[in-house]
Amino acid sequence: MLDAQVNGMPNTSRGGPLQGVRVLELTKVWAGPYAGKLLAFLGAEVIKVESNSNLDEMRAYGGVDINHAPYFLSINSEILSVQINMKTAEGLQLFRDMVAKSDIVINNIRPGAMERSGLGYEQLREIKRDIIAVSIKMFGNDGPLGHQTGYAPCFAALGGLNSLAGYEGGPPLGVNHRYGDSTVGAQAAYAAIVALMHRQRTGEGQFVDVSAVEGMSSMVGDSLFEQGLTGKSAVPDGNAHADMAPHGCYPCRDGTWLSIAVASDPEWHALCEGLDRADLAKDSRFMTRAQRYEHRSGLDEQLSELTKEQDVDALANHLRALGVAAFKSQSSVNLIGDQYLWGRDFFRFVSDNKEGARPILGAPWRMSKASASISRGAPDLGEHNAYVYREILGLSDEKLQELIGNRIVD
Amino acid sequence: MTALRGFRVVEIAEGVAGEYCGKLLADFGAELIKVERPGTGSPTRSMAPIVGSDAGPENSGLFAYLNTNKKSVVLDLASKAGLDTLHKLIATADVVIDDHDEDWLKNVGLTPAQAEHDHPSVIFCSITPFGHGAPAAWRNAKSINVFNASGWGYHSPTAADPSKPPLKGAGRFMADYEGAIDAALCIVSSLYWRTHSNQGQFVDISQMEVLVSRADCVVGRMITGEAEANDLRTAYDMGGPHGFFRCADGFVYLMVTNRKHWLGLCKLMGNPEWSKSFDENWLEFGATLEKVVEFRKHFAAWLLAAKKDEVSETAQRLDVPLVPVNNATDVQRSPQFVFREYFQRVTHPVLGEALYPTVPYKMSATPVKITSPAPLLGAHTATILDNRQAVGGAKAHA
């Protein structure tokens, strides 16, 4: 009775744990679309509602062809696209008709915009009693600062995350400013599926109100907790780690960097041996983990002297063979040539309407039984109009043509 | 009822990644049974911050944070009896979470093949730095290593000074937390699938791949050649006058991208003379390095007298995305965090009362609540293992 499949199966069977689940998206830019991507990669049928008059900005970034914009193509594999002009009464009604046939509705549009269109949670619930409505906003759906808006680095600043990243004694510098949207999208996807599980067991839908700012706070939850517990101020701490020393990135030849993390005395001795400085292990400043942590600044300087003329890949291999956790800090060019990622099919190809095939970043999980196929690239605007209007909503071809003619489907 | 009540999760993980994943499930009422080694318990019980002079297993703030709503069972997995009990316990479970390496799983008889054979209806999730099949020498990678292997370290901070080292991210555990989110998502998706397939499965999470995925619209344009991949520390950066600015009582962060933002900013600053040399559309069409530098110089000077919360609120009313850079104290006091009840006061029997961060999603039907502090080591060994109803009893049925 509660099975998503009563809504009608999608026209292609991709498998995956969420096969048969239908998700409707009013999402833009990155956080919302990323949530949709994860659900699609798990097998859900994810339908993005768009229109020429209200495009996802990602279709405009980095190009003039809205069907071939690199940003959009990079996030929207296995997403279906349907056009609706939501500024018309008839368009809004079509959207409501789609809600009635969906399990989850996700939006990350401006605070208040859903409610103004008559699509707040209570109204969605009137359309479909057990709908799961997911709202992703910078600071949550309401509250004293709920009206504030911003981009990912703003979430990270407000959430307390960016004030922790920087060099010791210096100002906050933050994690790279691309960080944030996708993490929040993943958190929203998790909450959405928890809600789906609850509906499966009880028949009850619900409203999931995601705060991107709190999403960032949760990524440093232990630090926020620690300050409250101990009174020790959480400030930029470079690469310091209270339980590991050395713990940091050390320069190698040609501007490269090697990350090294030493968790125990035997690992420390192995590192000294690997750097041909067994004597360092006997240095009275560096005997125990606590001493190494206390003298980390001098320790890092000394290690940097030993690494800076070395080849990063050779040194990484050499240290790892001795049991030391040592990995190159990969640049973008290292990353796209990473043979391990290509070998695991993490980098993989999907169809592309223009060029035939496009490499994308696939799913970061492997499932032994219920894997969803990931083969279709991002959709052209309205690529799935016929499927949605005719097969899901049951409209005739004539009606669809009329909607196109009236620019309701636009 | 809470969303996952009735599901039994056995957490054999002993690291931050697995424990955070377990926490995400326990938040929603799953019965979370943490299996711990005798004596010291989970290694996270020995991790900072250690509070108080007694460095026993109950003094770690980290453990207290990661293990709310869980039960602790002590089992010696080095003994045959302990292993037998573990397998009996798993036979009563719906989910098993692990974050050890593949050899460890082999030693306890839970390779993917063994797990599926012996426990066909259980969802197993293994979270490791690089996923199963990685070279043995890679398996002891820590969060900082994975963060750097993934590209995020090299490109942090934004506008990185190439003479300074890449950063580990914020806090100590970004690779662990990120991996845990996707793990929890896969677990609950698998539980959903099990309601109609009646099958368990093995889920293999690569923390490295989770982190690389988080940059999909950056790296995804590089593997196609649409954006240049190179060795620059700034390869992930967006152009424009984004960034941190010092003000009277701390820092603010500004990110502006369009005409509306610019007009709002001008109004915020009282339309100073210098702003007239900027075209209204400069953020979209004329954000040259020279212009950006000039803007930053003037804006930074203007901001020095401003208070971060006040100027941010005024800017927001003018549609300018300017926000305060909050520290931990600011976050706890923020009226929005208070309104959403993000922090919950919890009393731990040894560490006392403290504010615990909860979750970034408010759920109307199944709100998250911390109902018990992190368990004392072995607090539930007797009730879970000696109670026949608990081991060998009925499983949750969806």
Side-chain angles (χ1 to χ4, degrees), chain A residues 316-336:
Chain A
N317 273 321
H318 177 57
L319 292 179
R320 284 198 298 262
L322 295 168
V324 178
F327 289 80
K328 183 178 183 176
S329 188
Q330 297 213 84
S331 69
S332 58
V333 75
N334 297 149
L335 206 53
I336 69 166

Side-chain angles (χ1 to χ4, degrees), chain B residues 225-238:
Chain B
E226 288 154 338
E228 187 193 346
N230 54 41
D231 280 324
L232 294 176
R233 294 278 300 278
T234 51
Y236 281 21
D237 296 1
M238 293 173 267

Side-chain angles (χ1 to χ4, degrees), chain A residues 98-117:
Chain A
M98 289 178 202
V99 171
K101 306 251 179 188
S102 298
D103 302 294
I104 298 171
V105 178
I106 302 182
N107 90 83
N108 73 329
I109 59 178
R110 279 185 81 86
M114 290 295 280
E115 290 78 3
R116 283 194 293 276
S117 297

Side-chain angles (χ1 to χ4, degrees), chain B residues 9-143:
Chain B
V9 181
V10 173
E11 182 181 289
I12 51 179
E14 293 187 295
V16 173
E19 291 188 358
Y20 188 64
C21 176
K23 176 178 166 65
L24 292 173
L25 303 176
D27 281 340
F28 285 110
E31 184 193 21
L32 209 305
I33 300 172
K34 180 161 187 57
V35 174
E36 303 197 67
R37 57 182 66 202
T40 55
S42 169
T44 58
R45 287 185 184 270
S46 307
M47 288 177 69
I50 300 297
V51 178
S53 50
D54 173 18
E58 313 302 345
N59 295 77
S60 165
L62 179 67
F63 184 87
Y65 167 68
L66 290 171
N67 293 285
T68 49
N69 292 345
K70 298 187 188 178
K71 295 176 178 172
S72 167
V73 165
V74 169
L75 273 182
D76 181 7
L77 301 185
S79 76
K80 168 115 183 18
L83 270 186
D84 286 348
T85 307
L86 174 67
H87 280 265
K88 277 184 201 151
L89 185 61
I90 289 174
T92 71
D94 302 286
V95 174
V96 174
I97 300 171
D98 183 54
D99 60 7
H100 296 90
D101 66 29
E102 292 168 60
D103 286 342
W104 189 91
L105 281 176
K106 197 172 169 188
N107 289 338
V108 298
L110 291 172
T111 64
Q114 287 168 314
E116 281 187 18
H117 180 267
D118 296 345
H119 306 285
S121 64
V122 176
I123 315 292
F124 284 82
C125 184
S126 163
I127 312 167
T128 55
F130 298 96
H132 284 214
W138 295 15
R139 292 177 190 163
N140 68 346
K142 309 299 189 292
S143 182

